[in-house]
């Protein structure tokens, strides 16, 4: 009986060693909030006089989640001297944005080997159990017990990140003639497509970009991450203008 007890302690010690290494690394390395924002393409707007700094604002949210983007964008633009107008025909700029996605990603679901710590711990337990008395059934028992311990350890500490993806379209009145050719392609079934082309003359240029904002911290909650991501989007838009 004492021999079996020693085996259990030895097995659990190895399991905790395997799981706690990655867990402690996560706790220490991700204890502080890390926020990163990237823009797919730069947008360069012509400088204008203060009386021409007018913006027509249109913010869309297709994520299905409650977000407070528009008010933050408004505050950002007005703080930089821009006036938000309701009539697009009198605005120098049109700012249109659509929040495509706000999702959580668990970064420690898999380690560098492609297997979770729980699976690795289960394998170690089974290996140790298989070398002792009891054969394969004991090995399975050790494996299940060890995997359960690792799962509990993983459940307490989660390395999570929230990502927000936003498409931005800015239209600028240039005061000059611009010839525009637009091509649209629509799929027809699984193998065909239909392409249409239209041409027009206008006095407006259009610029598009995509913004990715990421917030990362141990055990980060959605309610805490969303305001941070909203602020990041506001900073990006403020940087464009």
């Amino acid at each position: 009986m004492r021999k079996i007890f020693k085996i259990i302690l030895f097995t659990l010690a190895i399991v905790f060693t395997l799981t706690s290494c990655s867990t402690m690394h996560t706790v220490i390395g991700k204890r502080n909030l890390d926020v990163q924002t990237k823009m797919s393409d730069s947008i360069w707007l012509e400088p204008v006089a203060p009386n021409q700094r007018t913006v027509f604002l249109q913010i869309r949210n297709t994520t299905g989640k409650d977000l407070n983007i528009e008010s933050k964008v408004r505050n950002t633009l007005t703080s930089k001297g821009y006036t938000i107008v309701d009539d697009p025909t009198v605005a120098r700029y049109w700012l249109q944005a659509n929040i495509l996605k706000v999702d959580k990603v668990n970064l420690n679901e898999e380690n560098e080997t492609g297997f979770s710590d729980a699976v690795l711990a289960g394998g170690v337990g089974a290996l140790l159990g298989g070398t002792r008395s009891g054969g394969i059934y004991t090995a399975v028992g050790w494996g299940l017990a060890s995997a359960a311990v690792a799962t509990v350890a993983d459940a307490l500490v989660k390395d999570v990140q929230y990502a927000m993806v936003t498409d931005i379209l800015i239209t600028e009145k240039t005061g000059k003639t611009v010839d525009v050719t637009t091509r649209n392609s629509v799929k027809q079934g699984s193998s065909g497509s239909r392409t249409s082309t239209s041409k027009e003359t206008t006095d407006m240029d259009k610029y598009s970009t995509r913004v990715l904002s990421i917030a990362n911290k141990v055990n980060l909650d959605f309610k805490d991450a969303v305001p941070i991501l909203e602020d990041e989007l506001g900073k990006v838009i403020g940087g464009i203008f």
Side-chain angles (χ1 to χ4, degrees):
M1 184 69 182
R2 181 176 296 179
K3 185 177 181 181
I4 295 177
F5 183 70
K6 289 182 178 179
I7 295 173
I8 294 175
L9 291 179
F10 181 63
T11 303
L12 294 180
I14 293 180
V15 171
F16 275 116
T17 298
L18 289 174
T19 57
S20 63
C21 285
S22 61
T23 301
M24 288 305 297
H25 180 270
T26 298
V27 171
I28 295 173
K30 303 298 180 68
R31 67 186 183 278
N32 297 322
L33 179 67
D34 179 35
V35 182
Q36 299 183 32
T37 299
K38 298 180 180 180
M39 190 165 62
S40 63
D41 298 283
S42 296
I43 294 178
W44 302 92
L45 301 178
E46 295 292 336
V48 296
N51 62 350
Q52 296 186 48
R53 294 177 182 174
T54 53
V55 181
F56 170 75
L57 187 61
Q58 187 180 67
I59 305 293
R60 296 287 183 258
N61 173 19
T62 56
T63 65
K65 299 179 175 65
D66 293 331
L67 301 175
N68 184 30
I69 299 291
E70 184 167 344
S71 63
K72 293 189 176 183
V73 173
R74 282 178 175 269
N75 293 337
T76 299
L77 293 177
T78 54
S79 67
K80 299 194 70 172
Y82 287 85
T83 301
I84 308 300
V85 297
D86 295 328
D87 186 356
T89 61
V90 300
R92 169 80 185 197
Y93 303 101
W94 297 357
L95 171 59
Q96 297 169 281
N98 179 37
I99 295 86
L100 293 174
K101 195 173 185 180
V102 178
D103 277 336
K104 179 178 73 172
V105 179
N106 188 351
L107 298 180
N108 66 350
E109 287 181 345
E110 293 187 353
N111 56 26
E112 293 179 355
T113 64
F115 296 95
S116 67
D117 287 332
V119 174
L120 287 178
V124 171
L127 178 61
L128 291 175
T131 62
R132 305 297 179 180
S133 60
I136 187 62
Y137 298 105
T138 303
V140 172
W142 294 126
L144 292 176
S146 303
V149 170
T151 300
V152 171
D154 281 346
L156 297 177
V157 177
K158 291 294 184 183
D159 180 11
V160 295
Q161 69 174 357
Y162 285 92
M164 182 167 71
V165 181
T166 306
D167 278 341
I168 295 177
L169 176 65
I170 295 178
T171 306
E172 178 185 15
K173 288 184 179 179
T174 62
K176 56 186 178 182
T177 301
V178 179
D179 293 326
V180 180
T181 300
T182 304
R183 292 184 178 87
N184 295 315
S185 182
V186 180
K187 288 186 176 181
Q188 301 282 350
S190 59
S191 59
S193 63
R194 179 177 179 178
T195 302
S196 61
T197 303
S198 62
K199 296 182 179 181
E200 64 175 326
T201 300
T202 180
D203 63 347
M204 308 186 79
D205 270 339
K206 293 189 177 184
Y207 314 91
S208 64
T209 188
R210 175 168 289 185
V211 177
L212 170 64
S213 300
I214 298 175
N216 181 214
K217 186 181 179 182
V218 170
N219 294 338
L220 183 63
D221 291 330
F222 179 78
K223 62 181 179 61
D224 296 326
V226 167
I228 298 169
L229 297 175
E230 293 172 344
D231 290 341
E232 287 298 300
L233 179 59
K235 291 178 183 177
V236 170
I237 293 176
I240 296 174
F241 286 88

